[in-house]
Amino acid sequence: MTAVDLGLPKVQRTTDTSSAAGSAPRPDTPGLLDQFGRIATDLRVSLTDKCNLRCTYCMPAEGLDWMAKTDMLDDVELGRLIRIAVEDLGVTNVRFTGGEPTLRKGIADVIAATAALTPRPRISMTTNGIGLDRTAGALAEAGLDRINISLDTLDRDRFTELTRRDRLSDVLDGLAAAKAAGLTPVKVNSVLLRGINDHEAIPLLRYCVEHEYQLRFIEQMPLDPQHGWSRAEMVTADQILDVLRSAFELTPSPVPRGAAPAERWLVDGGPAEVGVIGSVTRPFCGDCDRTRLTADGSLRSCLFSQTETDLRGPLRAGASDDEIAGIWRSTMWAKLAGHQINEAGFAQPLRPMSAIGG
Ligand code: SAM
C-alpha cells in the first residue's frame, strides 16, 4: 500500500445536513442538541494531520498524503470557528489534537485566543508529549489547563518498534515537564496491542501511579488507514481489567462518570485512579457530548461519521457567524444514536484517526 493509496480520502463533504437530519423538527435552541437529547459541549479541534511518530496502528511508515496548507484553516479561521462554538453554541471544553497538535506553528497563540473567550472554556490537549520539556510552561501560560499524553510502552526498543521513532525519553521528559508546568491531572493514554505491548498493562499502571499520572487504557478502534484492526485480536476492556486486578485492587471511582469516555477505578483504595475507555465493547455513545472540527475545516458529529459538513467553504465564501452556527447546529442535530461498530455492515470512516483528530 502506498502513501497515495492511504492518503486523505475523498470524504463526502457537504453543507446540506437536511437529508441526514430526518424528519423531526429541531427545537429553536442555541446549543448543539441532537435528536436523541444529547447536547455537545466538548469540541475536539484537530490542528494538523501531520505527526512526528508513525505508530504502527495509526499510520503507515511512509506517512500519509498530508493536507495541503491552503486546505487547512489558518489561525484566524480557526479562532473564529472556536469563538462561534464557545460564544454562540455553548461549547465549554476545547481539546486540541491531531495528528500531533504541537507541530502546529503558533499553537500557543491559538490557545491564548481560546482562553480569551467569554465564557472561558476549559482547554486541554492530546499529544505524544515530544518537545513538551521545552514548551509545556509556555503552553500553560497561554491558557492550556490539562494534557493527555500518549504512551503505549515503557520499553525503549518496543517504543521504537511501535512508533518507528526512538523517542521514548522525549515522551517521558514531556510527561515530567507537563506535571511541573501544572497541566494536571496529567493523563496518559495507552492502547494495548495483542502480542506487542499487552503484557505492559501492569508496569504502565505502576509507573503512572508512582509519577501521579492518571492512566487510561483505550480499546483499539477500527480507525487505521491500513485497516489492520480486528475484533478477534483487539484487547478488550474486560481483558485489561482482569490483568490489572491480578496486581491491584480496583474499586469503582465514586466520582460520577458523566459524559467522560473513561470508566474509572480507584487503585488500591485511591487516590490513584485508572480508566478504561471501552469504545468498542462498552460503548458510551448515549452520553456523548462531543463535536469535532478537522484541520481542514470539516465538522464531524462522531469519530465514526461517514459524512462530514464543510465549514471552510462557507467561511471563505463570507458566511456570517449566524450562518456558520446554523450549519453547525444542523450537523449535530443529525448525529446518529451510536457509532455502529457493533452493527452488521459497519464501515470504517474514510478518514483515518490522525486526519480526524483523536
Ligand atoms: N498525536 C497525538 C497523540 O499521540 O496523542 C494526538 C493524536 S492521536 C491519534 C490520539 C490518540 O489516539 C493516541 O492516544 C493514540 O494512541 C490513539 N489512537 C490512534 N489510533 C487509534 C486506534 N485505532 N484506536 C484507539 N486509539 C487510537
Side-chain angles (χ1 to χ4, degrees), residues 15-341:
T15 50
D16 174 17
T17 53
S18 56
S19 58
S23 52
R26 185 188 178 283
D28 187 15
T29 171
L32 294 172
L33 177 70
D34 70 34
Q35 295 178 80
F36 303 94
R38 296 166 298 191
I39 298 173
T41 54
D42 183 342
L43 170 62
R44 306 282 161 120
V45 180
S46 175
L47 293 181
T48 176
D49 58 334
K50 294 196 186 71
C51 193
N52 42 3
L53 297 181
R54 292 287 180 274
C55 300
T56 51
Y57 58 90
C58 191
M59 227 183 246
E62 66 274 26
L64 292 166
D65 189 8
W66 311 121
M67 288 171 188
K69 193 159 191 316
T70 48
D71 285 345
M72 289 177 61
L73 299 177
D74 64 27
D75 290 359
V76 173
E77 293 169 328
L78 195 60
R80 182 171 170 213
L81 291 180
I82 296 172
R83 175 177 57 71
I84 292 170
V86 170
E87 295 187 348
D88 300 338
L89 298 171
V91 161
T92 55
N93 289 275
V94 177
R95 172 176 293 274
F96 294 106
T97 181
E100 174 46 44
T102 56
L103 294 183
R104 176 142 182 157
K105 287 197 181 74
I107 181 176
D109 295 338
V110 173
I111 291 173
T114 306
L117 294 173
T118 307
R120 185 198 188 283
R122 295 270 300 155
I123 305 172
S124 56
M125 178 168 71
T126 302
T127 169
N128 60 32
I130 294 173
L132 281 182
D133 54 335
R134 288 176 284 104
T135 59
L139 294 176
E141 207 146 293
L144 187 65
D145 296 309
R146 289 201 300 101
I147 208 156
N148 285 44
I149 297 180
S150 304
L151 174 68
D152 298 331
T153 173
L154 291 164
D155 179 277
R156 181 175 169 184
D157 290 339
R158 196 166 300 114
F159 185 97
T160 306
E161 208 174 302
L162 199 64
T163 67
R164 304 186 177 104
R165 302 288 187 270
D166 184 8
R167 307 296 298 266
L168 175 62
S169 62
D170 295 304
V171 177
L172 300 184
D173 290 349
L175 275 162
K179 186 172 141 190
L183 297 171
T184 52
V186 173
K187 296 185 183 171
V188 171
N189 291 348
S190 294
V191 177
L192 295 179
L193 306 166
R194 196 171 301 285
I196 295 175
N197 65 341
D198 55 337
H199 57 291
E200 284 201 66
I202 292 170
L204 278 164
L205 182 51
R206 282 219 172 92
Y207 181 86
C208 288
V209 169
E210 191 180 314
H211 291 82
E212 298 176 336
Y213 307 142
Q214 290 189 5
L215 179 61
R216 267 114 178 79
F217 291 103
I218 308 176
E219 278 184 346
Q220 190 189 3
M221 296 177 276
L223 284 169
D224 59 308
Q226 302 98 318
H227 290 256
W229 180 86
S230 129
R231 187 179 297 276
E233 281 299 303
M234 64 167 283
V235 182
T236 66
D238 282 350
Q239 290 164 346
I240 295 166
L241 289 166
D242 281 350
V243 170
L244 295 179
R245 285 193 174 106
S246 71
F248 305 94
E249 190 200 331
L250 301 186
T251 46
S253 166
V255 180
R257 182 176 178 188
E263 285 177 80
R264 301 200 303 275
W265 286 265
L266 296 177
V267 179
D268 291 337
E273 278 193 353
V274 64
V276 177
I277 301 181
S279 314
V280 178
T281 65
R282 300 173 176 218
F284 39 87
C285 304
D287 293 316
C288 181
D289 66 351
R290 280 169 283 289
T291 182
R292 295 172 183 275
L293 180 64
T294 66
D296 57 349
S298 274
L299 205 55
R300 300 176 65 90
S301 57
C302 173
L303 252 183
F304 291 91
S305 295
Q306 289 293 341
T307 60
E308 44 188 49
T309 305
D310 178 24
L311 282 188
R312 187 189 66 214
L315 194 72
R316 292 185 180 173
S320 67
D321 286 3
D322 278 355
E323 285 164 338
I324 302 271
I327 296 170
W328 207 319
R329 288 187 191 105
S330 303
T331 300
M332 295 308 294
W333 180 244
K335 179 172 173 135
L336 298 182
H339 58 36
Q340 302 188 312
I341 299 175

